[in-house]
Amino acid sequence: LLIIPLNIFCMASFPKKVNLRITQKCNANCSYCFSKKSIPELALAEFEKIFVFLKGKGVKIVGISGGEPLIFSQIDEALKKLKELGFEVCLDSNGDYFFEHAQAILNNVDCLGLPVDFVGRSYRNDNNFEMVKKILVFLKQNPSNVQVKIGTVVTKDNNEKIEEIGKFLSKYRIALWTLYKLVPLNISKHKFNRLKVSDTKFWRAVDSAMKFYKRIRININTPQKMNRSYFFIECNGDLII
């Protein structure tokens, strides 16, 4: 990934999908997280200028992430503005603050990304798995236009538990399940070496998911694929491509 400290208004063209880290603040401290926590964020008014600019450049989809985006003080207003401009809105969240913002999400978000690392626990905090499960139950019982995508980072701790995760997910309305290969970016060598799995074990986990859960659409995300396809605007306006 290349970090370009460049004002985005200097860019001549953009891809159809742009990802925006609206904040780097987060209530979790995941072992594999590569997001920096010390980057200052723009005010909502500055983000809205970026939204309008992106619309004019033909961007169709805006992915909002963090940090934890639901921590951003005016996240409801930001989601509403994006939808008013006609974007397809994707939100990647750990889910811990979903119910405080449920109405804004249901009204304005097209795709909600949630994490599932294990069945029964989470890398994020002691209550995160139960919160994600509560959201999945809520969305199953209250049908909406929000599509759910699940993200699982395959690690040494869970690579043999993918089948168990798949069985859990098969109970709910899941549009997409993405299996991520661990990214050695902004995490210590010690943490990376503790969590990483060999290519053989990673692809074995992928095969396990695809063999048993053909009803769920599965996406594979490796560092190489991420480098080719990601276009991020940082919460201070920097570009990451």
Side-chain angles (χ1 to χ4, degrees):
L1 294 176
L2 177 63
I3 300 177
I4 306 177
L6 184 71
N7 187 314
I8 69 158
F9 299 108
C10 297
M11 296 289 292
S13 62
F14 288 81
K16 294 299 181 184
K17 179 178 180 181
V18 169
N19 297 285
L20 171 65
R21 288 187 179 130
I22 202 163
T23 183
Q24 291 285 24
K25 297 173 185 174
C26 190
N27 63 310
N29 188 27
C30 305
S31 299
Y32 50 69
C33 182
F34 58 83
S35 180
K36 295 181 179 179
K37 305 294 193 296
S38 59
I39 300 176
E41 63 197 36
L42 300 174
L44 176 62
E46 296 303 312
F47 280 126
E48 289 182 342
K49 292 178 184 177
I50 292 175
F51 300 162
V52 172
F53 178 74
L54 294 177
K55 185 66 177 178
K57 290 295 182 178
V59 173
K60 303 297 184 184
I61 306 170
V62 175
I64 298 294
S65 65
E68 171 46 51
L70 296 182
I71 286 179
F72 182 66
S73 61
Q74 294 179 286
I75 187 63
D76 292 2
E77 293 87 344
L79 295 175
K80 182 180 179 182
K81 182 64 175 180
L82 285 166
K83 183 51 62 177
E84 287 176 347
L85 288 169
F87 289 110
E88 181 178 333
V89 181
C90 299
L91 176 70
D92 284 321
S93 169
N94 63 31
D96 285 343
Y97 301 102
F98 172 88
F99 288 99
E100 289 90 333
H101 302 275
Q103 200 57 57
I105 292 170
L106 293 174
N107 289 343
N108 302 297
V109 171
D110 299 282
C111 180
L112 174 65
L114 296 167
V116 176
D117 305 310
F118 307 89
V119 175
R121 67 186 182 96
S122 171
Y123 279 122
R124 286 151 186 81
N125 57 62
D126 292 341
N127 300 316
N128 182 253
F129 172 79
E130 290 301 324
M131 179 58 71
V132 170
K133 182 179 178 181
K134 186 177 178 181
I135 296 167
L136 295 178
V137 170
F138 173 82
L139 293 175
K140 183 178 180 179
Q141 294 176 346
N142 300 274
S144 70
N145 293 324
V146 178
Q147 292 193 315
V148 177
K149 64 175 185 177
I150 298 295
T152 301
V153 178
V154 179
T155 69
K156 191 177 293 184
D157 300 325
N158 67 9
N159 72 95
E160 296 182 354
K161 302 180 185 296
I162 298 301
E163 182 177 345
E164 182 182 8
I165 295 172
K167 286 181 179 178
F168 166 74
L169 296 179
S170 66
K171 302 174 185 177
Y172 303 101
R173 294 172 53 244
I174 308 300
L176 181 69
W177 182 19
T178 297
L179 300 176
Y180 293 89
K181 202 167 191 299
L182 188 65
V183 178
L185 182 66
N186 293 335
I187 63 173
S188 70
K189 184 177 180 181
H190 171 73
K191 284 185 178 180
F192 178 72
N193 287 336
R194 187 185 75 76
L195 293 170
K196 72 176 181 179
V197 294
S198 66
D199 287 345
T200 299
K201 288 185 176 181
F202 175 78
W203 290 109
R204 186 181 298 156
V206 170
D207 289 342
S208 176
M210 290 185 165
K211 178 179 178 181
F212 291 101
Y213 305 103
K214 295 180 180 179
R215 188 177 67 82
I216 301 175
R217 188 161 65 95
I218 296 175
N219 178 49
I220 312 305
N221 200 317
T222 63
Q224 294 78 14
K225 184 176 179 181
M226 187 172 112
N227 284 339
R228 292 195 304 269
S229 62
Y230 275 38
F231 188 105
F232 272 102
I233 298 174
E234 192 56 272
C235 60
N236 64 354
D238 286 352
L239 298 179
I240 302 177
I241 58 175

